[in-house]
Amino acid sequence: WTGFRRRKSYHLLWVAMMTNAGILALLGFGQRLAGADRIFGLYKPSNRAFVSSFIYPNHAGCYFNLMVGLAAGVAWWHHQRSNRHIEGPGAATAATGIAVCCSGLVIISYSRMSIALMTVFTTMVGGTLLVRLIRRNGPVGRRREFIPIIVTLTAFLCVGFVLLSSDKLRERCAFVAAKPVAADEDRSLARQAARDMFSDHWMFGWGAGSFRYGFSKYAKRYPAIYYSEYGQPRTWEHAHCDPLEFLCEFGVLGLLPLAYILIQAIRKIA
């Protein structure tokens, strides 16, 4: 842990994380373009809608959303150093490219919530840059430090518009608009089954990592959750509600140490 008290250690960790994400994003694009039915040509998952190394598309959307934010932050840090002539623009450009690649993977995951969150994040970043551009002194033509970022955001919006125009994504969004209740019905039933599971062992829980094994007993009470919004059969390994799943696995007593740690952390920050 001593090494992670230095800024350089965190920077190296973040670079390694976003580089790994960029490689996964490129491999994910290649799989989609090739119509692959195996993850990296090795493993054939039960879910044909897998994305890169993620069997479940929503997990891919969450992961690549986090990496978009990380890469954007690293890109901005390198961009500021480039403006102070500490380093060249190459690192900022590379980090920005990784952010764009990861954002593209978020879109082709067709995870509606992940796409919505990424849209909000992009709007916030674009709005912040616009405000900074307006508040800076001097003619707009002299504010050259913003040119690379503005060009990158423009390219990102163009790529996003092309990917968002896919028929599959329009079909998913149209279904939610036409039947908003039915689109979330199976997850509502899954949460209800998870609450039933928690009520049987609320004190000590079922044990870490055991949700997927005990959930089937309660899911049988709600057979409709085994069919997706398009009528296709599906399996469940998670409750799609992390706090509820944690309660099922650890119980009230098992979460007390975590609650104590969070409270202490909040007190230190405050």
Side-chain angles (χ1 to χ4, degrees), residues 180-203:
V181 177
D184 192 55
E185 181 180 6
D186 52 351
R187 296 190 181 185
S188 298
L189 293 174
R191 289 190 290 269
Q192 181 59 51
R195 285 190 287 269
D196 295 344
M197 182 178 175
F198 168 69
S199 64
D200 282 354
H201 296 277
W202 63 272
M203 181 65 73

Side-chain angles (χ1 to χ4, degrees), residues 84-188:
R84 296 195 296 268
H85 303 289
I86 300 176
E87 62 181 44
T93 303
T96 304
I98 291 175
V100 173
C101 289
C102 291
S103 63
L105 248 289
V106 173
I107 295 175
I108 67 171
S109 71
Y110 304 119
S111 173
R112 293 170 298 218
M113 183 56 67
S114 297
I115 294 173
L117 291 175
M118 189 188 65
T119 302
V120 171
F121 174 76
T122 305
T123 303
M124 291 175 58
V125 171
T128 302
L129 291 176
L130 181 61
V131 170
R132 288 175 63 91
L133 183 62
I134 294 174
R135 294 180 63 180
R136 290 290 295 270
N137 296 324
V140 176
R142 294 183 181 178
R143 303 171 197 175
R144 297 180 180 178
E145 67 271 21
F146 290 99
I147 293 178
I149 300 178
I150 293 173
V151 171
T152 301
L153 281 175
T154 303
F156 166 76
L157 291 174
C158 293
V159 172
F161 177 78
V162 173
L163 294 175
L164 286 171
S165 63
S166 66
D167 294 335
K168 184 174 181 179
L169 185 59
R170 285 201 301 267
E171 180 184 352
R172 287 178 60 83
C173 294
F175 181 85
V176 174
K179 300 178 180 179
V181 177
D184 192 55
E185 181 180 6
D186 52 351
R187 296 190 181 185
S188 298

Side-chain angles (χ1 to χ4, degrees), residues 18 27 33 36 42 46 70 100 107 116 134 141 150 176 189 201 206 208-209 256 262:
M18 70 179 196
L27 291 173
L33 292 174
L42 301 173
S46 57
L70 176 62
V100 173
I107 295 175
I134 294 174
I150 293 173
V176 174
L189 293 174
H201 296 277
W206 288 75
L256 286 179
L262 291 176

